[in-house]
Amino acid sequence: MLSFQNTCLAFANKTNFQLLRAKWLFRFISFPILVKVSSVKLRFALKLGLPVSWILKPTVFAHFCGGEDMHSCDKVINTMGQSGVKTILDYAAEGKESETEFENATIQVIATIRKAQNHAHIPFAVFKPSGVARVALLEKVQSGATLSEDEKSEFANAKDRFHRICMAAKDCGVPVMIDAEESWIQEVVDTIAEECIMLHNKEFPLVFTTLQMYRTDRLDYLKNLHTRARTHGIFVAVKLVRGAYMEKERNRAMLMGYPSPILPDKVATDASFDAAVKYCLQNINDVSVSIATHNENSCLFAVETVSQLGIKPDNKHISFSQLLGMSDHISYNLAAEGFIVTKYVPFGPVKTVVPYLIRRAEENTSVEGQTSRELSLITQELKNRKTRK
């Protein structure tokens, strides 16, 4: 029976130094006030142009990121690959503003696709919409406001970047995942993602859209998308996540006086996520699903459902995904059972990925039990290594 308690397997690729560094990081993250204060100071330092790499690179960057460029991730990719855990390279640029930055991000993403084309350990590519399009513009489009001629041109360029990335993925035969965003720009992202799905998913599930299952409408959206795609003989491909913007979503809804798009509590979110997993697995012939979660119960639920439905663990339409530096006990134990497992491996210059690193730290403090679980497992493995000597 699958267990996530095998720390020897989970941390086999980690040195004692790496485990001790991880223990220090998660202890720090376990204090929300320290994370909040440090995040404010870090953002302020970046605005002033102060050097931050010297403290971040050997610590939080080294733990959560693969390197400063795509090629420097090779060691991480190959080390994980030897244990059956594959990689999704993620150029971690967020919240950029200029066309030059968006074009650079597009070039970086296409480069990851080309690298994946002939690499056994890289089965997917990914990009974040806000990395290739201006958030304020997407928000204006979704609101239905009239665009200026310059904004119309800018939006056309943004859509073109989506389609160029997906076309590169098609040319290379590498599935690509489009990440999710906040609800006030997600509808326009959905529209563009669906255009790409309908265009490219005729032969196999190439373009994945991401569903944040803490939203009240996503389960119905999944079923509706599947129905529409099936009518046209199109594969649906989805990455399922719980969601990353809960407090921001609820606060905005309250301030602007509209119903919160977020489910009321964790129980409802868990039920929504698991229902989406079950729906995808029940329709596995024309639905491809990436189960992207650090939740042990949801992973066990998925494994049990796969078994009940008589699906083989290595079915190419099913994969699991976690973030580099987190939940190794889930990733490596699932891989040992024959499932396709991937780790998101962010890369980019230290200053570029700071927003990503801040978000990782803030999310860890807000997910109940996440940090304490990581600390407990790391501490246990360090103790076990002493007794194994």
Side-chain angles (χ1 to χ4, degrees), residues 98-100 102-103 106 127 129 132-134 137-138 147 149-165 192:
S98 74
E99 289 291 289
T100 300
F102 298 142
E103 188 60 27
T106 302
F127 71 98
V132 299
R134 189 163 56 89
L137 176 67
L138 296 177
L147 301 183
E149 290 303 313
D150 286 346
E151 288 171 333
K152 289 178 183 177
S153 177
E154 184 185 357
F155 184 54
N157 289 338
K159 288 182 66 175
D160 179 65
R161 284 188 281 269
F162 274 74
H163 285 285
R164 281 166 52 203
I165 290 170
I192 304 172

Side-chain angles (χ1 to χ4, degrees), residues 240-261:
L240 302 177
V241 301
R242 275 172 165 75
Y245 310 107
M246 183 177 67
E247 291 182 10
K248 188 191 295 186
E249 291 277 2
R250 286 178 174 161
N251 289 340
R252 186 177 189 271
M254 183 175 63
L255 288 171
M256 299 184 69
Y258 61 85
S260 172

Side-chain angles (χ1 to χ4, degrees), residues 247-309:
E247 291 182 10
K248 188 191 295 186
E249 291 277 2
R250 286 178 174 161
N251 289 340
R252 186 177 189 271
M254 183 175 63
L255 288 171
M256 299 184 69
Y258 61 85
S260 172
I262 306 302
L263 289 164
D265 52 36
K266 184 179 183 300
V267 172
T269 298
D270 290 345
S272 173
F273 187 93
D274 291 348
V277 169
K278 186 174 183 179
Y279 181 86
C280 292
L281 295 177
Q282 288 174 330
N283 294 279
I284 204 61
N285 289 332
D286 57 3
V287 176
S288 188
V289 60
S290 170
I291 303 166
T293 181
H294 296 173
N295 186 289
E296 294 176 6
N297 291 333
S298 286
C299 289
L300 289 171
F301 173 80
V303 169
E304 290 169 3
T305 305
V306 165
S307 177
Q308 290 167 3
L309 293 172

